[in-house]
CSV table of all heavy atoms in Angstrom, one decimal:
chain,number,residue,atom,x,y,z
A,1,MET,N,-0.7,-2.2,-8.6
A,1,MET,CA,-1.1,-1.9,-7.2
A,1,MET,C,-1.6,-0.5,-7.0
A,1,MET,O,-1.0,0.4,-7.5
A,1,MET,CB,0.0,-2.3,-6.3
A,1,MET,CG,0.3,-3.8,-6.2
A,1,MET,SD,-1.0,-4.7,-5.4
A,1,MET,CE,-0.7,-4.2,-3.7
A,2,LEU,N,-2.6,-0.4,-6.0
A,2,LEU,CA,-3.1,0.9,-5.6
A,2,LEU,C,-2.0,1.9,-5.3
A,2,LEU,O,-2.0,3.0,-5.8
A,2,LEU,CB,-4.0,0.7,-4.4
A,2,LEU,CG,-4.6,1.9,-3.8
A,2,LEU,CD1,-5.4,2.7,-4.8
A,2,LEU,CD2,-5.5,1.5,-2.6
A,3,GLY,N,-1.0,1.5,-4.6
A,3,GLY,CA,0.0,2.5,-4.1
A,3,GLY,C,0.8,3.0,-5.3
A,3,GLY,O,0.9,4.2,-5.3
A,4,ASP,N,1.3,2.1,-6.2
A,4,ASP,CA,2.0,2.6,-7.3
A,4,ASP,C,1.3,3.7,-8.1
A,4,ASP,O,1.8,4.7,-8.4
A,4,ASP,CB,2.4,1.5,-8.3
A,4,ASP,CG,3.3,0.5,-7.6
A,4,ASP,OD1,4.0,0.9,-6.7
A,4,ASP,OD2,3.4,-0.7,-8.0
A,5,LYS,N,0.0,3.4,-8.4
A,5,LYS,CA,-0.8,4.3,-9.2
A,5,LYS,C,-1.1,5.6,-8.5
A,5,LYS,O,-1.1,6.6,-9.1
A,5,LYS,CB,-2.1,3.6,-9.5
A,5,LYS,CG,-1.9,2.3,-10.3
A,5,LYS,CD,-1.8,2.7,-11.9
A,5,LYS,CE,-1.7,1.4,-12.8
A,5,LYS,NZ,-0.3,1.0,-13.0
A,6,LEU,N,-1.3,5.5,-7.2
A,6,LEU,CA,-1.5,6.8,-6.4
A,6,LEU,C,-0.3,7.6,-6.5
A,6,LEU,O,-0.3,8.9,-6.7
A,6,LEU,CB,-1.8,6.4,-4.9
A,6,LEU,CG,-3.2,6.1,-4.5
A,6,LEU,CD1,-3.3,5.9,-3.0
A,6,LEU,CD2,-4.1,7.4,-4.8
A,7,ARG,N,0.9,7.0,-6.2
A,7,ARG,CA,2.1,7.7,-6.3
A,7,ARG,C,2.3,8.4,-7.7
A,7,ARG,O,2.7,9.6,-7.8
A,7,ARG,CB,3.3,6.9,-5.9
A,7,ARG,CG,3.3,6.5,-4.5
A,7,ARG,CD,4.7,5.9,-4.0
A,7,ARG,NE,4.9,4.6,-4.6
A,7,ARG,CZ,4.6,3.5,-4.0
A,7,ARG,NH1,4.1,3.5,-2.8
A,7,ARG,NH2,4.9,2.3,-4.6
A,8,GLU,N,2.0,7.7,-8.7
A,8,GLU,CA,2.1,8.3,-10.0
A,8,GLU,C,1.2,9.5,-10.2
A,8,GLU,O,1.6,10.5,-10.8
A,8,GLU,CB,1.8,7.2,-11.1
A,8,GLU,CG,2.9,6.2,-11.3
A,8,GLU,CD,2.4,4.9,-11.9
A,8,GLU,OE1,1.3,4.9,-12.5
A,8,GLU,OE2,3.1,3.9,-11.9
A,9,ALA,N,-0.1,9.4,-9.8
A,9,ALA,CA,-1.0,10.4,-10.0
A,9,ALA,C,-0.5,11.7,-9.2
A,9,ALA,O,-0.5,12.7,-9.7
A,9,ALA,CB,-2.4,10.1,-9.3
A,10,ILE,N,0.1,11.6,-8.0
A,10,ILE,CA,0.6,12.7,-7.3
A,10,ILE,C,1.8,13.2,-7.8
A,10,ILE,O,2.1,14.4,-7.9
A,10,ILE,CB,0.8,12.2,-5.8
A,10,ILE,CG1,-0.6,12.0,-5.2
A,10,ILE,CG2,1.5,13.4,-5.0
A,10,ILE,CD1,-0.6,11.5,-3.8
A,11,ALA,N,2.7,12.3,-8.4
A,11,ALA,CA,4.0,12.7,-8.9
A,11,ALA,C,3.7,13.5,-10.2
A,11,ALA,O,4.4,14.5,-10.5
A,11,ALA,CB,4.8,11.5,-9.3
A,12,LYS,N,2.7,13.2,-10.9
A,12,LYS,CA,2.2,14.1,-12.1
A,12,LYS,C,1.9,15.4,-11.6
A,12,LYS,O,2.4,16.4,-12.3
A,12,LYS,CB,1.0,13.5,-12.7
A,12,LYS,CG,1.1,13.4,-14.3
A,12,LYS,CD,0.1,12.5,-14.8
A,12,LYS,CE,-1.1,13.2,-15.4
A,12,LYS,NZ,-2.1,12.3,-15.9
A,13,LEU,N,1.3,15.6,-10.5
A,13,LEU,CA,1.0,17.0,-10.0
A,13,LEU,C,2.3,17.7,-9.5
A,13,LEU,O,2.5,18.8,-9.8
A,13,LEU,CB,-0.1,16.9,-8.8
A,13,LEU,CG,-0.3,18.3,-8.3
A,13,LEU,CD1,-1.6,18.8,-8.9
A,13,LEU,CD2,-0.5,18.3,-6.8
A,14,THR,N,3.1,16.9,-8.6
A,14,THR,CA,4.3,17.6,-8.0
A,14,THR,C,5.3,17.8,-9.1
A,14,THR,O,6.1,18.8,-8.9
A,14,THR,CB,4.9,16.6,-7.0
A,14,THR,OG1,5.2,15.3,-7.6
A,14,THR,CG2,4.0,16.5,-5.8
A,15,GLY,N,5.2,17.2,-10.3
A,15,GLY,CA,6.1,17.5,-11.4
A,15,GLY,C,5.8,18.6,-12.2
A,15,GLY,O,6.6,19.2,-13.0
A,16,LYS,N,4.7,19.3,-11.9
A,16,LYS,CA,4.3,20.5,-12.7
A,16,LYS,C,4.9,21.6,-12.2
A,16,LYS,O,5.1,21.8,-11.0
A,16,LYS,CB,2.8,20.6,-12.6
A,16,LYS,CG,2.1,19.5,-13.4
A,16,LYS,CD,0.7,19.9,-13.7
A,16,LYS,CE,0.2,19.0,-14.8
A,16,LYS,NZ,-0.9,18.2,-14.4
A,72,VAL,N,-1.4,18.5,-2.0
A,72,VAL,CA,-1.0,17.2,-1.6
A,72,VAL,C,-1.4,16.9,-0.2
A,72,VAL,O,-1.8,15.7,0.2
A,72,VAL,CB,0.6,17.0,-1.7
A,72,VAL,CG1,1.0,15.8,-1.2
A,72,VAL,CG2,0.9,17.2,-3.3
A,278,VAL,N,-2.2,4.7,4.6
A,278,VAL,CA,-2.1,5.7,3.5
A,278,VAL,C,-0.7,6.0,3.3
A,278,VAL,O,-0.2,6.1,2.1
A,278,VAL,CB,-3.0,6.9,3.8
A,278,VAL,CG1,-2.7,7.9,2.7
A,278,VAL,CG2,-4.4,6.5,3.7
A,279,GLY,N,0.1,6.2,4.4
A,279,GLY,CA,1.5,6.5,4.3
A,279,GLY,C,2.2,5.5,3.4
A,279,GLY,O,3.1,5.8,2.6
A,280,ARG,N,1.9,4.3,3.7
A,280,ARG,CA,2.5,3.2,3.0
A,280,ARG,C,2.2,3.2,1.5
A,280,ARG,O,3.0,2.9,0.7
A,280,ARG,CB,2.2,1.8,3.7
A,280,ARG,CG,3.1,0.7,3.3
A,280,ARG,CD,2.7,-0.6,3.8
A,280,ARG,NE,2.9,-0.6,5.3
A,280,ARG,CZ,2.3,-1.5,6.0
A,280,ARG,NH1,1.4,-2.4,5.6
A,280,ARG,NH2,2.4,-1.5,7.4
A,281,LEU,N,0.9,3.4,1.3
A,281,LEU,CA,0.5,3.5,-0.1
A,281,LEU,C,1.3,4.6,-0.9
A,281,LEU,O,1.7,4.4,-2.0
A,281,LEU,CB,-1.0,3.8,-0.2
A,281,LEU,CG,-2.0,2.8,0.2
A,281,LEU,CD1,-3.5,3.3,0.0
A,281,LEU,CD2,-1.9,1.6,-0.7
A,282,LEU,N,1.5,5.7,-0.2
A,282,LEU,CA,2.2,6.8,-0.9
A,282,LEU,C,3.8,6.7,-0.7
A,282,LEU,O,4.6,7.4,-1.3
A,282,LEU,CB,1.8,8.2,-0.2
A,282,LEU,CG,0.3,8.4,-0.4
A,282,LEU,CD1,0.0,9.8,0.2
A,282,LEU,CD2,-0.1,8.4,-1.9
A,283,GLY,N,4.2,5.6,-0.1
A,283,GLY,CA,5.6,5.4,0.0
A,283,GLY,C,6.3,6.3,1.1
A,283,GLY,O,7.4,6.6,1.0
A,284,MET,N,5.5,6.9,1.9
A,284,MET,CA,6.0,7.9,3.0
A,284,MET,C,5.5,7.5,4.4
A,284,MET,O,4.4,7.2,4.5
A,284,MET,CB,5.5,9.3,2.7
A,284,MET,CG,5.6,9.8,1.3
A,284,MET,SD,7.3,10.2,0.9
A,284,MET,CE,7.3,10.0,-0.8
A,285,PRO,N,6.3,7.5,5.3
A,285,PRO,CA,5.9,7.2,6.7
A,285,PRO,C,4.9,8.1,7.2
A,285,PRO,O,3.9,7.7,7.9
A,285,PRO,CB,7.1,7.2,7.5
A,285,PRO,CG,8.1,8.0,6.8
A,285,PRO,CD,7.8,7.9,5.3
A,289,THR,N,7.1,13.9,6.2
A,289,THR,CA,8.0,13.3,5.2
A,289,THR,C,7.5,13.6,3.7
A,289,THR,O,8.3,14.0,2.9
A,289,THR,CB,8.3,11.9,5.4
A,289,THR,OG1,8.4,11.5,6.7
A,289,THR,CG2,9.5,11.3,4.7
A,290,LEU,N,6.3,13.4,3.6
A,290,LEU,CA,5.6,13.6,2.3
A,290,LEU,C,5.9,15.1,1.8
A,290,LEU,O,6.3,15.4,0.7
A,290,LEU,CB,4.2,13.3,2.3
A,290,LEU,CG,3.4,13.5,1.0
A,290,LEU,CD1,3.9,12.6,-0.1
A,290,LEU,CD2,1.9,13.3,1.3
A,293,LYS,N,9.4,15.8,0.9
A,293,LYS,CA,9.8,15.3,-0.5
A,293,LYS,C,9.4,16.2,-1.5
A,293,LYS,O,10.0,16.4,-2.5
A,293,LYS,CB,9.2,13.9,-0.7
A,293,LYS,CG,9.6,12.9,0.3
A,293,LYS,CD,10.9,12.1,-0.1
A,293,LYS,CE,11.3,11.2,0.9
A,293,LYS,NZ,12.5,10.5,0.6
A,294,ILE,N,8.1,16.7,-1.4
A,294,ILE,CA,7.6,17.6,-2.4
A,294,ILE,C,8.4,18.8,-2.6
A,294,ILE,O,8.6,19.4,-3.7
A,294,ILE,CB,6.1,18.1,-2.0
A,294,ILE,CG1,5.2,16.8,-2.0
A,294,ILE,CG2,5.6,19.0,-3.0
A,294,ILE,CD1,4.0,17.1,-1.3
A,296,GLN,N,11.4,18.9,-2.4
A,296,GLN,CA,12.7,18.6,-3.1
A,296,GLN,C,12.6,18.0,-4.5
A,296,GLN,O,13.6,17.7,-5.0
A,296,GLN,CB,13.5,17.5,-2.2
A,296,GLN,CG,13.8,17.9,-0.9
A,296,GLN,CD,14.3,16.6,-0.1
A,296,GLN,OE1,14.6,15.6,-0.6
A,296,GLN,NE2,14.2,16.6,1.2
A,297,VAL,N,11.3,17.8,-4.9
A,297,VAL,CA,11.2,17.0,-6.2
A,297,VAL,C,12.0,17.6,-7.3
A,297,VAL,O,12.3,18.7,-7.4
A,297,VAL,CB,9.7,16.8,-6.6
A,297,VAL,CG1,9.0,15.9,-5.7
A,297,VAL,CG2,9.0,18.1,-6.7
A,298,ALA,N,12.1,16.6,-8.3
A,298,ALA,CA,12.9,17.0,-9.5
A,298,ALA,C,12.5,18.3,-10.2
A,298,ALA,O,11.3,18.6,-10.2
A,298,ALA,CB,12.9,15.8,-10.5
A,299,LYS,N,13.5,19.0,-10.6
A,299,LYS,CA,13.3,20.4,-11.1
A,299,LYS,C,12.8,20.3,-12.5
A,299,LYS,O,13.0,19.4,-13.3
A,299,LYS,CB,14.6,21.1,-11.0
A,299,LYS,CG,15.2,21.1,-9.6
A,299,LYS,CD,14.5,22.1,-8.8
A,299,LYS,CE,14.9,22.0,-7.2
A,299,LYS,NZ,15.5,20.8,-6.7
A,302,ASP,N,15.3,19.4,-15.1
A,302,ASP,CA,15.4,17.9,-15.4
A,302,ASP,C,14.5,17.5,-16.5
A,302,ASP,O,14.9,16.9,-17.5
A,302,ASP,CB,15.1,17.1,-14.2
A,302,ASP,CG,16.2,17.2,-13.1
A,302,ASP,OD1,17.3,17.7,-13.4
A,302,ASP,OD2,16.0,16.7,-12.0
A,303,LEU,N,13.3,18.0,-16.4
A,303,LEU,CA,12.3,17.6,-17.4
A,303,LEU,C,12.8,18.3,-18.8
A,303,LEU,O,12.6,17.6,-19.8
A,303,LEU,CB,11.0,18.3,-17.1
A,303,LEU,CG,10.2,17.7,-15.9
A,303,LEU,CD1,9.1,18.7,-15.4
A,303,LEU,CD2,9.6,16.4,-16.2
A,319,GLN,N,18.5,10.3,-12.8
A,319,GLN,CA,17.2,9.9,-12.4
A,319,GLN,C,17.3,8.7,-11.4
A,319,GLN,O,16.4,8.6,-10.5
A,319,GLN,CB,16.3,9.6,-13.5
A,319,GLN,CG,15.8,10.9,-14.2
A,319,GLN,CD,15.4,12.0,-13.2
A,319,GLN,OE1,14.6,11.7,-12.4
A,319,GLN,NE2,16.0,13.1,-13.3
A,320,LEU,N,18.2,7.8,-11.6
A,320,LEU,CA,18.3,6.7,-10.7
A,320,LEU,C,18.6,7.3,-9.2
A,320,LEU,O,18.1,6.7,-8.3
A,320,LEU,CB,19.5,5.8,-11.2
A,320,LEU,CG,19.3,5.0,-12.4
A,320,LEU,CD1,20.4,4.0,-12.6
A,320,LEU,CD2,17.9,4.1,-12.3
A,321,LYS,N,19.5,8.3,-9.2
A,321,LYS,CA,19.8,8.9,-8.0
A,321,LYS,C,18.6,9.5,-7.3
A,321,LYS,O,18.3,9.3,-6.1
A,321,LYS,CB,20.9,9.9,-8.2
A,321,LYS,CG,22.4,9.4,-7.9
A,321,LYS,CD,23.4,10.4,-7.5
A,321,LYS,CE,23.3,11.7,-8.3
A,321,LYS,NZ,24.6,12.5,-8.3
A,322,ALA,N,17.8,10.2,-8.2
A,322,ALA,CA,16.6,11.0,-7.6
A,322,ALA,C,15.6,9.9,-7.1
A,322,ALA,O,15.0,10.1,-6.1
A,322,ALA,CB,16.0,11.8,-8.6
A,323,ALA,N,15.5,8.8,-7.9
A,323,ALA,CA,14.5,7.8,-7.5
A,323,ALA,C,14.9,7.2,-6.2
A,323,ALA,O,14.0,6.8,-5.4
A,323,ALA,CB,14.4,6.7,-8.5
A,324,LYS,N,16.1,7.1,-5.9
A,324,LYS,CA,16.6,6.5,-4.7
A,324,LYS,C,16.3,7.4,-3.6
A,324,LYS,O,15.8,7.1,-2.5
A,324,LYS,CB,18.1,6.3,-4.8
A,324,LYS,CG,18.7,5.9,-3.4
A,324,LYS,CD,19.7,4.6,-3.7
A,324,LYS,CE,19.9,4.0,-2.3
A,324,LYS,NZ,18.9,3.0,-1.9
A,325,LYS,N,16.5,8.7,-3.8
A,325,LYS,CA,16.4,9.7,-2.7
A,325,LYS,C,14.9,10.1,-2.5
A,325,LYS,O,14.5,10.2,-1.4
A,325,LYS,CB,17.3,10.9,-3.0
A,325,LYS,CG,17.8,11.6,-1.8
A,325,LYS,CD,18.9,12.7,-2.1
A,325,LYS,CE,18.3,14.0,-2.4
A,325,LYS,NZ,19.0,14.8,-3.3
A,326,LEU,N,14.3,10.3,-3.6
A,326,LEU,CA,13.0,11.0,-3.5
A,326,LEU,C,11.8,10.0,-3.7
A,326,LEU,O,10.6,10.3,-3.5
A,326,LEU,CB,12.8,12.2,-4.5
A,326,LEU,CG,13.8,13.3,-4.3
A,326,LEU,CD1,13.8,14.2,-5.4
A,326,LEU,CD2,13.7,13.9,-3.0
A,327,GLY,N,12.1,8.8,-4.3
A,327,GLY,CA,11.0,7.9,-4.6
A,327,GLY,C,10.3,8.4,-5.8
A,327,GLY,O,10.7,9.4,-6.5
A,328,PRO,N,9.2,7.8,-6.1
A,328,PRO,CA,8.4,8.1,-7.3
A,328,PRO,C,7.9,9.5,-7.4
A,328,PRO,O,7.8,10.0,-8.4
A,328,PRO,CB,7.2,7.1,-7.2
A,328,PRO,CG,7.5,6.2,-6.1
A,328,PRO,CD,8.6,6.7,-5.3
A,329,LEU,N,7.7,10.1,-6.2
A,329,LEU,CA,7.4,11.6,-6.3
A,329,LEU,C,8.3,12.4,-6.9
A,329,LEU,O,8.0,13.4,-7.5
A,329,LEU,CB,7.0,12.1,-4.9
A,329,LEU,CG,5.8,11.5,-4.2
A,329,LEU,CD1,5.5,12.2,-2.9
A,329,LEU,CD2,4.6,11.5,-5.1
A,330,GLY,N,9.6,12.0,-6.9
A,330,GLY,CA,10.6,12.9,-7.4
A,330,GLY,C,11.2,12.5,-8.7
A,330,GLY,O,12.1,13.2,-9.2
A,331,ASN,N,10.8,11.4,-9.3
A,331,ASN,CA,11.6,10.9,-10.4
A,331,ASN,C,10.9,11.4,-11.7
A,331,ASN,O,9.7,11.3,-11.9
A,331,ASN,CB,12.0,9.6,-10.4
A,331,ASN,CG,11.1,8.5,-11.0
A,331,ASN,OD1,10.7,8.6,-12.2
A,331,ASN,ND2,10.6,7.7,-10.2
A,332,VAL,N,11.7,11.9,-12.6
A,332,VAL,CA,11.2,12.5,-13.8
A,332,VAL,C,10.4,11.5,-14.7
A,332,VAL,O,9.4,11.9,-15.2
A,332,VAL,CB,12.3,13.1,-14.6
A,332,VAL,CG1,11.9,13.4,-16.1
A,332,VAL,CG2,13.0,14.2,-14.0
A,333,PHE,N,10.8,10.2,-14.7
A,333,PHE,CA,10.1,9.3,-15.6
A,333,PHE,C,8.6,9.3,-15.2
A,333,PHE,O,7.8,9.3,-16.1
A,333,PHE,CB,10.7,7.9,-15.4
A,333,PHE,CG,12.1,7.8,-15.7
A,333,PHE,CD1,13.0,7.2,-15.0
A,333,PHE,CD2,12.5,8.4,-17.0
A,333,PHE,CE1,14.4,7.1,-15.3
A,333,PHE,CE2,13.9,8.3,-17.4
A,333,PHE,CZ,14.8,7.7,-16.5
A,334,SER,N,8.3,9.2,-13.8
A,334,SER,CA,7.0,9.1,-13.5
A,334,SER,C,6.2,10.4,-13.7
A,334,SER,O,4.9,10.4,-14.0
A,334,SER,CB,6.7,8.6,-12.1
A,334,SER,OG,7.0,9.5,-11.1
A,335,MET,N,6.9,11.5,-13.6
A,335,MET,CA,6.3,12.7,-13.9
A,335,MET,C,5.9,12.8,-15.4
A,335,MET,O,4.9,13.5,-15.8
A,335,MET,CB,7.2,14.0,-13.6
A,335,MET,CG,7.4,14.2,-12.1
A,335,MET,SD,8.6,15.4,-11.9
A,335,MET,CE,8.8,15.2,-10.2
A,336,LEU,N,6.8,12.3,-16.2
A,336,LEU,CA,6.5,12.3,-17.6
A,336,LEU,C,5.4,11.3,-18.0
A,336,LEU,O,4.9,11.3,-19.1
A,336,LEU,CB,7.7,11.9,-18.4
A,336,LEU,CG,8.9,12.9,-18.4
A,336,LEU,CD1,10.1,12.4,-19.1
A,336,LEU,CD2,8.5,14.2,-19.1
A,337,GLY,N,5.0,10.5,-17.0
A,337,GLY,CA,4.0,9.6,-17.3
A,337,GLY,C,4.4,8.2,-17.8
A,337,GLY,O,3.7,7.3,-18.1
A,338,VAL,N,5.8,8.1,-17.8
A,338,VAL,CA,6.4,6.7,-18.2
A,338,VAL,C,6.4,6.0,-16.9
A,338,VAL,O,7.3,6.1,-16.1
A,338,VAL,CB,7.8,6.9,-18.8
A,338,VAL,CG1,8.2,5.5,-19.3
A,338,VAL,CG2,7.7,7.9,-19.8
A,339,ASN,N,5.4,5.1,-16.7
A,339,ASN,CA,5.2,4.5,-15.4
A,339,ASN,C,5.7,3.1,-15.2
A,339,ASN,O,5.9,2.7,-14.1
A,339,ASN,CB,3.7,4.5,-15.0
A,339,ASN,CG,3.2,5.9,-14.9
A,339,ASN,OD1,4.0,6.8,-14.4
A,339,ASN,ND2,2.0,6.2,-15.4
A,340,ASN,N,5.8,2.4,-16.4
A,340,ASN,CA,6.2,1.0,-16.1
A,340,ASN,C,7.6,0.7,-16.2
A,340,ASN,O,8.0,-0.5,-16.5
A,340,ASN,CB,5.4,0.2,-17.1
A,340,ASN,CG,5.2,0.9,-18.5
A,340,ASN,OD1,5.5,2.1,-18.6
A,340,ASN,ND2,4.5,0.3,-19.4
A,341,ILE,N,8.4,1.6,-15.7
A,341,ILE,CA,9.9,1.2,-15.6
A,341,ILE,C,10.0,0.3,-14.4
A,341,ILE,O,9.5,0.5,-13.3
A,341,ILE,CB,10.7,2.5,-15.4
A,341,ILE,CG1,10.6,3.4,-16.6
A,341,ILE,CG2,12.1,2.2,-15.0
A,341,ILE,CD1,11.2,4.7,-16.5
A,342,PRO,N,10.6,-0.9,-14.7
A,342,PRO,CA,10.8,-1.9,-13.6
A,342,PRO,C,11.3,-1.4,-12.3
A,342,PRO,O,12.3,-0.5,-12.4
A,342,PRO,CB,11.7,-2.9,-14.2
A,342,PRO,CG,11.7,-2.6,-15.7
A,342,PRO,CD,11.4,-1.2,-15.9
A,343,LYS,N,10.8,-1.8,-11.3
A,343,LYS,CA,11.3,-1.4,-9.9
A,343,LYS,C,12.7,-1.5,-9.7
A,343,LYS,O,13.5,-0.7,-9.1
A,343,LYS,CB,10.5,-2.1,-8.8
A,343,LYS,CG,9.2,-1.4,-8.5
A,343,LYS,CD,8.8,-1.7,-7.0
A,343,LYS,CE,7.6,-0.9,-6.5
A,343,LYS,NZ,6.4,-1.6,-7.0
A,345,VAL,N,15.1,-1.5,-11.7
A,345,VAL,CA,15.9,-0.5,-12.4
A,345,VAL,C,15.9,0.7,-11.6
A,345,VAL,O,17.0,1.4,-11.4
A,345,VAL,CB,15.3,-0.2,-13.8
A,345,VAL,CG1,16.1,0.9,-14.4
A,345,VAL,CG2,15.4,-1.4,-14.7
A,346,LEU,N,14.9,1.2,-11.0
A,346,LEU,CA,14.7,2.4,-10.3
A,346,LEU,C,15.4,2.3,-8.8
A,346,LEU,O,15.9,3.3,-8.3
A,346,LEU,CB,13.3,3.0,-10.2
A,346,LEU,CG,12.7,3.6,-11.5
A,346,LEU,CD1,11.3,4.0,-11.3
A,346,LEU,CD2,13.6,4.7,-12.0
A,347,GLN,N,15.2,1.1,-8.3
A,347,GLN,CA,15.7,1.0,-6.9
A,347,GLN,C,17.1,0.3,-6.9
A,347,GLN,O,17.1,-0.9,-6.7
A,347,GLN,CB,14.6,0.2,-6.1
A,347,GLN,CG,13.4,1.0,-5.9
A,347,GLN,CD,12.2,0.1,-5.3
A,347,GLN,OE1,12.4,-1.1,-5.1
A,347,GLN,NE2,11.1,0.8,-5.0
A,348,GLN,N,18.1,1.2,-7.0
A,348,GLN,CA,19.4,0.6,-7.0
A,348,GLN,C,20.0,0.8,-5.6
A,348,GLN,O,19.7,1.8,-4.9
A,348,GLN,CB,20.2,1.4,-8.0
A,348,GLN,CG,19.7,1.4,-9.4
A,348,GLN,CD,20.0,0.2,-10.1
A,348,GLN,OE1,20.8,-0.7,-9.7
A,348,GLN,NE2,19.3,-0.1,-11.2
A,425,MET,N,3.2,20.5,-20.0
A,425,MET,CA,3.6,20.3,-18.7
A,425,MET,C,4.5,21.4,-18.2
A,425,MET,O,4.5,22.0,-17.1
A,425,MET,CB,4.3,19.0,-18.5
A,425,MET,CG,4.6,18.5,-17.1
A,425,MET,SD,5.5,16.9,-17.2
A,425,MET,CE,4.1,15.9,-16.7
Side-chain angles (χ1 to χ4, degrees):
M1 287 294 284
L2 175 59
D4 294 338
K5 298 274 183 269
L6 271 180
R7 291 195 288 268
E8 282 157 18
I10 293 175
K12 224 165 104 187
L13 178 98
T14 55
K16 289 196 164 118
V72 174
V278 170
R280 196 182 291 162
L281 287 177
L282 299 181
M284 310 284 155
T289 317
L290 180 64
K293 300 268 171 182
I294 295 165
Q296 301 169 17
V297 290
K299 306 278 166 346
D302 289 347
L303 292 164
Q319 285 319 304
L320 290 187
K321 268 205 314 202
K324 171 134 197 87
K325 210 167 88 210
L326 303 171
L329 289 189
N331 89 62
V332 167
F333 301 129
S334 76
M335 286 175 196
L336 291 173
V338 188
N339 296 324
N340 30 1
I341 294 176
K343 272 210 176 78
V345 174
L346 284 179
Q347 291 169 356
Q348 304 280 347
M425 191 180 259

